[in-house]
Amino acid sequence: MVRRGYVVSNDKGLSVNTPVLTKEQHRALKDIFAETSADIAEEAVPAIETVAGILKNHVPVHPKKLAGDMAFFRLFEDTVSAPVKALYERKYLLPYNGADILPTTYVVLQ
């Protein structure tokens, strides 16, 4: 766990290197994001189909079967990366420096 970064070992002992939430906190966090996530997903499906169609008309034959995946990653940049960058620039998010909390991992206590 230490080697993979989930636990930090230092002179003070061991500590979990990720946010730890109770079930209630996790449920509240999910509730906060539920409506916005559903709205984004609803808008993303037709957008991915549109972008995939455009890509299929403009890429060589061999990557055409990947057009849907390429469209997804293009929209991921717009819907996830761009807002995260804006939040970082406004100091709402702290940069990940590789030694702190793992950015996509959390623990929910049962």
Side-chain angles (χ1 to χ4, degrees):
M1 297 292 280
V2 172
R3 192 170 350 132
R4 292 186 175 208
Y6 295 102
V7 174
V8 174
S9 176
N10 56 34
D11 58 341
K12 296 178 184 177
L14 299 173
S15 61
V16 178
N17 193 27
T18 186
V20 178
L21 309 168
T22 64
K23 283 172 98 173
E24 294 77 21
Q25 290 170 325
H26 184 247
R27 187 176 6 263
L29 189 61
K30 285 173 59 175
D31 290 345
I32 290 169
F33 290 111
E35 186 176 336
T36 302
S37 298
D39 291 346
I40 291 170
E42 187 177 315
E43 292 180 23
V45 172
I48 288 172
E49 291 169 358
T50 300
V51 173
I54 293 168
L55 288 170
K56 285 180 183 176
N57 290 325
H58 293 90
V59 298
V61 174
H62 63 282
K64 280 187 191 257
K65 64 183 178 187
L66 301 173
D69 295 333
M70 291 187 290
F72 174 82
F73 283 117
R74 174 65 238 155
L75 291 173
F76 184 86
E77 172 66 25
D78 294 338
T79 60
V80 176
S81 299
V84 166
K85 181 180 178 196
L87 290 169
Y88 168 74
E89 289 170 349
R90 293 180 181 136
K91 308 291 187 225
Y92 287 102
L93 295 176
L94 299 174
Y96 175 65
N97 66 15
D100 291 329
I101 290 173
L102 299 172
T104 59
T105 304
Y106 61 91
V107 174
V108 178
L109 299 175
Q110 297 295 323

